[in-house]
């Protein structure tokens, strides 16, 4: 370790970078952060320091500074982690209109290797290269903006759901049986038994809604997707809600109000982050459009795209149809055969079920519906879907003790963040994404 490195000892931060403003003129401050750049000009060194809030300029007049400071500045490397004690001076050209004239510096850590790429540079790196060194990539202003927006979204969603009277629950991620028929499972050895990673908290959230009435969970869902696409991950985060004594129309209304709240909050709290990503968010006008599956098929037919009634909407057909509906909307009343076994068929026409997909353009952000709340009917649907009721006995037996009518949805958090930050690849909005080709970092 080079001899210049020092310990933190009794140094503690007094001020964040963005709070170094002309208001603090002449005041003493202690700041910490990473050296973004060092520029020398006519015996003056300008250092840009980045901390969790932003950047601050530290200016060293080599002749006027204490020898210890100018000495260390001479050896300071880009990307080092340092602390400065100094006084604040107003200067219009500096970020936030002020800079720090340091009286002391502590170099706490410095890079031992050349960075694989410059996170502050202008050269665009491939996403794979960036993900291989994700922690360095996270220093980039764009990545910072994405993950700070993501954190605000999580915060305000929780706030919204708590205000609506929901309680947050945690359900097991090592489970005994599939819930989302189509999407493949990750099997694992659980002691001497076969188990799976949870595709969804579906059955647990339904059971819990029978007791707590309004529950939500924000957690990982695992899908063994076979293909690498821009919208699919092997591990995604889902915002799941389930509510008793309501139907799918009520939870759609809840979902659209939640989206309205999220978009309004991101607009008011993340203005600088959105502008650094060059994104303008339009607050959705409620109620959102509800288009039936049958209507979508008619629209596609006019466009020359034939979809067999009962089939899912292909990516290509959604691309075409989304030109007409580029904003948030619902596709409702899907064929019963196209949805999971727990979705309730309509009493008036059991070929159609009380279900919805929540879309933004061609991106499916959430799906949900009213649930079957009767044991016999649920067992029958399991068989129709080729599933074994005995594998679901742990769930079916709950219905023997009374199950209220209930409905809910699962919202893909990562996909929502893609829309809110305007990125095309879902991996951009996940810290350490998992896909068929990526298991590290
Ligand atoms: P579904 O399977 O439609 O429904 O999943 C809900 C939402 O989760 C997101 N999602 C994904 N995001 C990224 N990568 C994936 N591989 C992936 N798979 C799903 C999507 C999707 O709309 N139990 C039901 C929900 C319910 O009815 O409450 C379910 O899991 O945005």
């Amino acid at each position: 370790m080079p001899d210049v490195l020092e310990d933190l000892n009794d140094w503690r931060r007094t001020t964040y970078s963005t709070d170094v403003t002309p208001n603090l003129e002449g005041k003493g401050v202690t700041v910490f952060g990473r050296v973004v750049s060092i520029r020398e000009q006519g015996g003056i060194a300008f250092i840009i320091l980045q901390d969790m809030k932003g950047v601050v300029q530290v200016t060293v007049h080599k002749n006027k500074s204490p020898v210890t400071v100018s000495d260390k500045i001479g050896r300071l490397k880009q990307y080092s982690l340092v602390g400065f004690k100094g006084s604040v001076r107003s200067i219009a050209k500096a970020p936030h209109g002020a800079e720090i004239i340091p009286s002391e510096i502590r170099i706490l850590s410095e890079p031992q290797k050349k960075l694989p790429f410059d996170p502050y540079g202008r050269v665009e790196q491939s996403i794979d290269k960036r993900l291989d060194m994700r922690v360095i990539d996270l220093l980039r202003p764009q990545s910072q903006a994405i993950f700070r927006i993501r954190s605000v979204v999580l915060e305000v969603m929780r706030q919204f759901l708590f205000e609506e009277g929901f309680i947050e629950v945690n359900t097991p991620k090592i489970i005994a049986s599939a819930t989302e028929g189509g999407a493949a499972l990750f099997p694992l050895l659980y002691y001497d038994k076969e188990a799976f990673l949870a595709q969804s908290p579906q059955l647990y959230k339904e059971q819990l809604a029978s007791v707590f009435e309004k529950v939500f969970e924000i957690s990982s869902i695992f899908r063994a997707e076979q293909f690498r696409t821009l919208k699919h991950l092997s591990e995604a985060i889902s915002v799941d809600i389930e509510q008793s004594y309501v139907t799918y129309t009520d939870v759609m209304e809840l979902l659209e109000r939640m989206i309205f709240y999220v978009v309004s909050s991101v607009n008011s709290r993340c203005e600088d982050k959105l502008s650094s990503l060059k994104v303008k968010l339009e607050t959705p006008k409620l109620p959102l459009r509800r288009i039936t599956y049958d209507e979508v098929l008619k629209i596609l037919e006019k466009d020359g795209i034939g979809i067999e009634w009962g089939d899912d909407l292909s990516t290509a057909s959604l691309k075409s149809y989304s030109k007409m509906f580029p904003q948030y909307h619902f596709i409702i009343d899907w064929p019963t055969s196209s949805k999971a076994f727990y979705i309730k068929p309509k009493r008036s026409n059991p070929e159609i079920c009380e279900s919805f997909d929540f879309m933004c353009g061609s991106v499916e952000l959430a799906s949900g519906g009213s649930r079957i709340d009767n044991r016999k009917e649920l067992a029958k649907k399991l068989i129709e879907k080729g599933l074994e009721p005995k594998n679901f006995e742990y769930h079916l037996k709950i219905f023997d003790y009374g199950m209220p009518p209930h409905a809910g949805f699962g919202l893909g958090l990562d996909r929502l963040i893609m829309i809110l930050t305007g990125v095309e690849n879902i991996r951009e909005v996940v810290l350490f994404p998992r896909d068929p080709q990526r298991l590290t970092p």
Side-chain angles (χ1 to χ4, degrees):
M1 204 184 273
D3 59 355
V4 291
L5 292 192
E6 285 154 296
D7 286 333
L8 192 61
N9 289 333
D10 58 343
W11 278 37
R12 292 294 177 273
R13 172 184 279 140
T14 61
T15 316
Y16 286 104
S17 60
T18 46
D19 296 328
V20 176
T21 60
N23 290 344
L24 295 185
E25 173 78 41
K27 293 259 162 51
V29 293
T30 305
V31 293
F32 289 105
R34 192 181 282 267
V35 174
V36 172
S37 64
I38 310 163
R39 184 169 57 88
E40 302 218 16
Q41 202 177 21
I44 307 176
F46 298 96
I47 296 148
I48 298 293
L49 192 74
Q50 181 188 41
D51 66 12
M52 62 180 279
K53 301 256 175 150
V55 293
V56 59
Q57 177 171 298
V58 179
T59 305
V60 181
H61 297 260
K62 290 202 170 155
N63 298 337
K64 295 190 212 151
S65 304
V67 181
T68 47
V69 172
S70 39
D71 205 36
K72 281 186 196 167
I73 292 296
R75 289 187 279 164
L76 190 61
K77 291 183 190 165
Q78 194 188 14
Y79 312 122
S80 294
L81 296 157
V82 299
F84 286 104
K85 272 187 195 290
S87 59
V88 175
R89 195 176 78 118
S90 303
I91 176 159
K93 277 190 206 153
H96 317 290
E99 63 183 3
I100 297 172
I101 308 295
S103 51
E104 280 182 76
I105 168 172
R106 274 190 188 164
I107 302 177
L108 304 168
S109 176
E110 58 184 19
Q112 305 299 307
K113 276 188 178 169
K114 188 174 174 320
L115 268 64
F117 55 87
D118 179 6
Y120 310 118
R122 295 221 172 109
V123 183
E124 271 283 317
Q125 304 290 336
S126 76
I127 182 149
D128 276 319
K129 185 165 184 185
R130 290 192 284 111
L131 289 178
D132 284 343
M133 267 294 171
R134 186 52 145 169
V135 170
I136 302 297
D137 178 59
L138 293 176
L139 293 169
R140 290 189 318 130
Q142 295 93 320
S143 299
Q144 284 274 322
I146 288 171
F147 289 100
R148 290 195 181 276
I149 290 173
R150 188 176 165 118
S151 171
V152 168
V153 171
L154 280 166
E155 181 190 329
V156 301
M157 268 185 183
R158 283 199 163 91
Q159 202 175 57
F160 175 85
L161 290 168
F162 287 136
E163 272 167 24
E164 290 285 327
F166 282 77
I167 70 160
E168 186 165 7
V169 297
N170 304 106
T171 65
K173 301 303 152 213
I174 302 177
I175 58 164
S177 51
T179 54
E180 310 306 317
L185 289 160
F186 284 111
L188 60 95
L189 190 62
Y190 188 66
Y191 304 102
D192 59 345
K193 290 191 190 68
E194 185 178 49
F196 306 97
L197 290 178
Q199 291 169 306
S200 151
Q202 184 63 37
L203 306 184
Y204 291 104
K205 68 175 178 170
E206 287 191 49
Q207 295 187 15
L208 294 173
S210 78
V211 180
F212 296 109
E213 296 192 10
K214 290 179 168 186
V215 296
F216 80 93
E217 176 165 17
I218 302 178
S219 64
S220 289
I221 55 171
F222 301 92
R223 309 275 171 115
E225 305 286 356
Q226 294 311 311
F227 305 105
R228 201 163 183 252
T229 81
L230 296 177
K231 297 190 188 75
H232 290 86
L233 294 166
S234 312
E235 178 175 2
I237 298 292
S238 166
V239 180
D240 270 276
I241 76 114
E242 201 65 29
Q243 185 173 351
S244 290
Y245 309 110
V246 294
T247 69
Y248 74 136
T249 55
D250 301 288
V251 292
M252 276 193 279
E253 194 256 341
L254 179 85
L255 175 53
E256 66 185 2
R257 281 193 293 113
M258 183 167 86
I259 293 298
F260 180 89
Y261 187 65
V262 166
V263 175
S264 313
S265 306
V266 169
N267 262 336
S268 64
R269 289 180 50 184
C270 305
E271 205 182 333
D272 53 336
K273 316 276 179 308
L274 290 171
S275 75
S276 83
L277 293 168
K278 300 188 177 60
V279 172
K280 263 201 156 42
L281 292 181
E282 222 175 279
T283 313
K285 290 193 181 49
L286 303 193
L288 297 175
R289 269 191 91 152
R290 282 128 169 93
I291 308 162
T292 65
Y293 171 86
D294 285 4
E295 282 165 349
V296 174
L297 257 50
K298 278 192 198 123
I299 292 165
L300 287 172
E301 205 175 297
K302 273 196 199 137
D303 247 5
I305 301 170
I307 301 266
E308 187 92 13
W309 195 90
D311 283 357
D312 209 349
L313 304 175
S314 64
T315 312
S317 62
L318 281 173
K319 278 257 151 60
S320 150
Y321 139 95
S322 66
K323 283 187 204 124
M324 278 181 70
F325 301 101
Q327 299 301 337
Y328 295 110
H329 64 279
F330 292 99
I331 302 179
I332 61 167
D333 298 349
W334 289 73
T336 304
S337 58
S338 71
K339 288 288 177 186
F341 66 87
Y342 48 79
I343 298 279
K344 190 179 209 162
K346 289 200 164 203
R347 293 287 174 247
S348 55
N349 176 7
E351 297 285 294
I352 293 174
C353 58
E354 297 193 4
S355 59
F356 64 87
D357 278 7
F358 172 60
M359 313 287 299
C360 186
S362 63
V363 183
E364 179 203 312
L365 291 176
S367 67
S370 310
R371 322 300 191 182
I372 295 175
D373 48 43
N374 167 295
R375 175 180 178 140
K376 260 199 196 140
E377 201 182 335
L378 194 56
K380 195 166 145 245
K381 279 299 288 294
L382 281 168
I383 295 166
E384 277 171 29
K385 293 275 179 191
L387 298 162
E388 275 283 347
K390 78 169 176 349
N391 292 343
F392 291 85
E393 186 51 31
Y394 74 95
H395 181 59
L396 291 170
K397 70 181 181 196
I398 302 300
F399 289 61
D400 293 338
Y401 308 109
M403 179 60 83
H406 57 288
F409 60 76
L411 167 72
L413 177 76
D414 315 292
R415 290 196 187 166
L416 177 63
I417 305 295
M418 283 176 76
I419 300 293
L420 296 175
T421 57
V423 303
E424 300 235 308
N425 190 333
I426 196 164
R427 291 159 190 78
E428 295 281 5
V429 305
V430 177
L431 288 170
F432 300 106
R434 293 288 178 260
D435 67 30
Q437 269 109 57
R438 186 172 282 283
L439 190 53
T440 58

